[in-house]
Amino acid sequence: MASSTLIPNPVTNNADRARDSSKRRKRKKIQRQSSGNGRDQNLNNNNDQITPWKSEVQQQVYSSKLLQALRQVRHGSVSGTSPTKSPRRGRAVREAADRVLAVTAKGRTRWSRAILTNKLKLKFMKSNRRQRGMVATATGNSRLKKPRVSILRLKTKNLQAVQRKARVLGRLVPGCRKQPLPVVLEEATDYIAALEMQVKAMAALADLLSGGSSSTSSAGAGNLGQLSFSRPPPSL
Amino acid sequence: MSNRRPASSTPRITDEQIIELVSKLQQLLPELRNRRSNKASASKVLQETCNYVRSLHKEVDDLSDRLSQLLSTIDNDSPQASIIRSLINQ
């Protein structure tokens, strides 16, 4: 899939490259497993498309990719570090996390493709489109010209309120601004599951990095405890 | 182009499909999962969905801010990153 080449993954250290190749092999195995799971569940029911997000495998895939992307962010910003850059780097981390999430979705959903293409547009054209989208979600106001309703007719639910809320939701989910209602609903269900997984993975990663109690694995606590003794824990 | 006719490409979406999608969405929402699915109207489900997506976005923003702070305080990358990776990949 072309989306995988969009990740800037060229320049890493030599040691990292060796580790990355082995990691990539392991990751490919995990990906094949997860894609196999997804395909099997696609055959059964539409409802089961949500469960691949909840599987442990998907979270591991996401976490490893996120870690790699975060290292890129760190190396990118190390050159020109200044303490006032934290809001911008927070934004960079958020964008990297979203991009990795979209890649983990393997482009099967509209929102994931929209995230990836928006990244591309931002890179090439330096437009403010995504920033405008972010501002809209941050303020949360509904700037509707007209409820441009309906390709479909909802007999019992043809209320202005429902359509208005559907538009608002369509703007929250990336890539669903002008989509009709069933598309928006479907994208929203997948997007919510993906966001939950993202939150869980990032929280676990933050816990690990801060040297806190890692509840995930057994051996991790011992190793991390060793590491925190060798270096004084960072004061946040 | 506000038309009430269905577009020629997509057949008319039935109400049952909408209801099913809405109920599926409702199952995901933490607020409405406890109640029976018949009780919540589509409007309420959509409203809760918007709120939930916004709260998830905010949570991701907070987490990414925290992660960026943590990243800045980690000096040497290799030992901790390799440990973390081994933990994650198992």
Side-chain angles (χ1 to χ4, degrees):
Chain A
M1 198 160 284
S3 58
S4 60
T5 62
L6 285 181
I7 307 176
N9 202 0
V11 183
T12 51
N13 298 333
N14 289 336
D16 285 352
R17 211 172 298 144
R19 276 194 293 231
D20 280 348
S21 58
S22 65
K23 189 162 59 111
R24 213 171 292 133
R25 254 181 274 126
K26 219 184 292 185
R27 214 188 313 146
K28 276 215 173 83
K29 195 158 53 135
I30 295 177
Q31 263 183 1
R32 230 175 283 132
Q33 282 179 4
S34 71
S35 65
N37 284 345
R39 227 174 289 133
D40 288 340
Q41 283 164 345
N42 271 344
L43 291 179
N44 291 337
N45 198 4
N46 245 356
N47 214 356
D48 290 344
Q49 270 183 3
I50 305 175
T51 47
W53 282 117
K54 301 209 169 153
S55 67
E56 196 59 35
V57 165
Q58 281 281 39
Q59 190 166 341
Q60 283 179 6
V61 169
Y62 178 71
S63 307
S64 56
K65 285 187 184 165
L66 179 63
L67 197 60
Q68 204 173 10
L70 287 182
R71 282 222 310 274
Q72 298 278 331
V73 168
R74 206 180 71 86
H75 286 157
S77 63
V78 143
S79 48
T81 47
S82 64
T84 59
K85 251 200 188 172
S86 38
R88 212 173 307 162
R89 202 186 305 156
R91 171 68 54 86
V93 170
R94 164 82 200 266
E95 289 179 358
D98 283 345
R99 188 180 58 230
V100 175
L101 188 69
V103 167
T104 311
K106 297 196 194 61
R108 260 185 267 132
T109 51
R110 205 173 297 252
W111 59 265
S112 58
R113 293 194 288 268
I115 288 182
L116 292 176
T117 52
N118 271 347
K119 287 279 171 290
L120 202 55
K121 282 177 197 161
L122 202 60
K123 238 181 248 191
F124 286 152
M125 296 193 297
K126 287 202 179 154
S127 67
N128 290 338
R129 192 181 318 187
R130 191 163 187 274
Q131 216 170 19
R132 226 182 334 127
M134 293 280 285
V135 167
T137 56
T139 59
N141 57 353
S142 53
R143 293 178 292 127
L144 287 182
K145 301 178 219 166
K146 215 182 286 194
R148 291 189 15 157
V149 165
S150 299
I151 299 181
L152 52 91
R153 236 188 298 174
L154 300 169
K155 290 179 241 170
T156 58
K157 301 192 188 351
N158 193 8
L159 307 169
Q160 294 293 67
V162 171
Q163 295 296 340
R164 207 183 321 136
K165 291 191 171 66
R167 288 298 157 193
V168 171
L169 184 59
R171 283 210 313 276
L172 277 178
V173 179
C176 294
R177 275 185 196 218
K178 296 187 186 165
Q179 304 295 329
L181 183 58
V183 174
V184 170
L185 290 180
E186 204 169 320
E187 291 288 318
T189 46
D190 192 65
Y191 189 54
I192 286 181
L195 277 182
E196 286 175 349
M197 195 273 290
Q198 184 180 25
V199 164
K200 224 174 12 165
M202 286 174 73
L205 196 59
D207 275 344
L208 280 179
L209 281 180
S210 63
S213 57
S214 64
S215 53
T216 51
S217 62
S218 52
N223 280 345
L224 224 48
Q226 259 182 11
L227 202 60
S228 58
F229 278 143
S230 65
R231 210 165 49 87
S235 57
L236 290 176
Chain B
M1 218 156 69
S2 61
N3 47 355
R4 273 184 246 129
R5 285 177 196 278
S8 54
S9 56
T10 64
R12 190 150 39 140
I13 314 287
T14 62
D15 272 359
E16 287 81 27
Q17 278 181 319
I18 300 284
I19 295 176
E20 184 183 331
L21 285 172
V22 167
S23 66
K24 225 193 325 173
L25 191 55
Q26 188 179 345
Q27 292 307 312
L28 288 179
L29 299 177
E31 299 286 323
L32 306 178
R33 214 178 309 174
N34 305 327
R35 317 200 191 126
R36 278 191 346 209
S37 62
N38 299 332
K39 297 263 177 145
S41 70
S43 164
K44 188 149 173 25
V45 169
L46 284 180
Q47 181 68 46
E48 285 302 320
T49 309
C50 293
N51 295 340
Y52 191 48
V53 168
R54 275 195 214 114
S55 73
L56 282 178
H57 276 168
K58 181 155 188 326
E59 213 167 324
V60 169
D61 272 336
D62 293 342
L63 277 175
S64 52
D65 281 339
R66 191 170 149 209
L67 273 179
S68 69
Q69 280 180 352
L70 287 172
L71 281 180
S72 62
T73 55
I74 290 181
D75 297 315
N76 53 345
D77 201 23
S78 29
Q80 210 162 8
S82 65
I83 286 179
I84 290 173
R85 226 180 296 122
S86 63
L87 289 174
I88 290 175
N89 290 338
Q90 291 289 334

